[in-house]
Amino acid sequence: MCDPVVGLGVATFAMGAMQSIAGYQQQQAQYEYQKQVQDAQYAQQMQAYEASQKAYDAQLEENKAAAQRAYSQEQLKLEGEMDKARNDALNGLRAKLQAQGQIRALGRTGRTQDVLASQAEREYGQDLANLGTNLGYAQQAYDLGALDIQAQYKSANAQAAANRMFQPMKPMYGPPPSKTGMILGIGQAAVSGFGTYQSLKAPAGGTPTPKPSGGLNIAGVQQYMPTSTFNPYDV
C-alpha cells in the first residue's frame, strides 16, 4: 500500500511540473501564432509591392512611349520647315534665272544689264538669308521642344517612382521561449513536493506502542475476562 504522505509529495510535484510545462507550451504556441501573423502580413505586403512594381514598370514604358511620340512630332515640324526652305530656295533660284533670262531677252547691254542682273542676284541672296534665318528659328524651337519633352519625361518618371511602394522587409522574429523557465519550474515543483513530504511524514523513532493495561485487577473477576491482543497501531 502506498504511503499517503509520499503520495501527497508526488502529487504536489506533479501539479507544479504540469503547470510549468503547460506555461511553456502556451508560450511556444503564442510564439508560433505571432510568427504566422507576421508571415501572413509579409505575404500581403509582398503582393501589394509586386503589383506596385508592375504598375511602375508599365508607367515607365508609357512615359517613354509618350516622350518618343513628342520627339517624333517635333522632328516632323523641323523636317517640314526644312522641306519648305528647300522648296522656297528652289523657287527663288528659278525666279532669279527667269529674271536674268528676261534681262538678256530685252537685248540690253552694258551697265543697265549689269544692274538688272545684280538686282536679281541680290533678291535671290536675300531670300536665301531669310530662309536660313527661318531654319535657325525652327532648329531652336526643336531644341527647346526636345528639352521640354526631356524634362517632362524625367518628371513623369520621378512621379511614378514616388508612387511606387518600398519593398517590405522580411519579418524579424523575436527569440523563442526559453526552456530555462520550465526547467526551473519543474525543479521548484520537486522541491515543493519534497517539502510537503517532509512536513507530513511521521517523526523518526518507530511506531509508538501503547503500554499494556494492568486490567481491572478485581478479585474474582479478572479470571473470567478473555485475553485481548488488540493493538490500535496494527490497523
Side-chain angles (χ1 to χ4, degrees):
M1 182 177 180
C2 177
D3 189 340
V5 176
V6 175
L8 286 175
V10 172
T12 302
F13 163 70
M15 290 180 62
M18 289 176 61
Q19 289 177 351
S20 297
I21 295 173
Y24 171 75
Q25 290 177 341
Q26 183 178 6
Q27 293 177 357
Q28 185 69 21
Q30 182 66 22
Y31 175 75
E32 293 297 330
Y33 172 74
Q34 292 295 335
K35 285 178 60 178
Q36 292 177 1
V37 171
Q38 288 180 282
D39 290 341
Q41 292 176 345
Y42 176 70
Q44 292 178 350
Q45 293 171 354
M46 282 301 299
Q47 289 180 353
Y49 168 75
E50 290 173 358
S52 174
Q53 187 65 30
K54 289 181 180 179
Y56 171 72
D57 294 338
Q59 188 62 53
L60 290 186
E61 290 297 325
E62 176 58 28
N63 294 344
K64 183 177 180 181
Q68 290 293 344
R69 290 193 297 269
Y71 281 133
S72 298
Q73 291 177 357
E74 293 296 328
Q75 185 70 33
L76 288 175
K77 289 180 182 179
L78 180 60
E79 290 178 356
E81 292 294 332
M82 294 178 66
D83 289 340
K84 182 177 181 299
R86 281 193 292 267
N87 291 331
D88 290 345
L90 182 60
N91 291 334
L93 178 61
R94 289 173 179 170
K96 183 193 74 168
L97 294 177
Q98 184 177 5
Q100 291 176 347
Q102 290 176 351
I103 293 171
R104 286 193 295 270
L106 292 175
R108 295 181 180 180
T109 60
R111 183 174 179 78
T112 301
Q113 182 179 358
D114 293 339
V115 170
L116 293 175
S118 298
Q119 183 178 357
E121 190 71 35
R122 286 195 301 272
E123 290 177 354
Y124 175 68
Q126 185 63 43
D127 291 339
L128 291 181
N130 291 335
L131 291 175
T133 301
N134 292 335
L135 283 179
Y137 289 149
Q139 183 66 51
Q140 290 180 359
Y142 172 80
D143 294 339
L144 292 175
L147 290 175
D148 184 59
I149 293 170
Q150 186 179 23
Q152 292 181 7
Y153 174 67
K154 291 181 178 180
S155 177
N157 287 348
Q159 184 62 43
N163 295 334
R164 181 178 56 169
M165 285 182 59
F166 290 105
Q167 183 172 1
M169 296 180 60
K170 292 183 178 180
M172 299 179 64
Y173 309 122
S178 174
K179 293 183 179 180
T180 303
M182 180 185 67
I183 296 173
L184 291 176
I186 294 174
Q188 291 176 355
V191 172
S192 178
F194 181 74
T196 300
Y197 168 74
Q198 287 290 97
S199 65
L200 296 177
K201 75 175 183 177
T207 303
T209 304
K211 295 181 180 181
S213 174
L216 295 176
N217 197 18
I218 301 175
V221 176
Q222 186 175 1
Q223 58 182 336
Y224 296 102
M225 297 178 62
T227 303
S228 174
T229 60
F230 173 75
N231 187 349
Y233 294 100
D234 289 340
V235 177

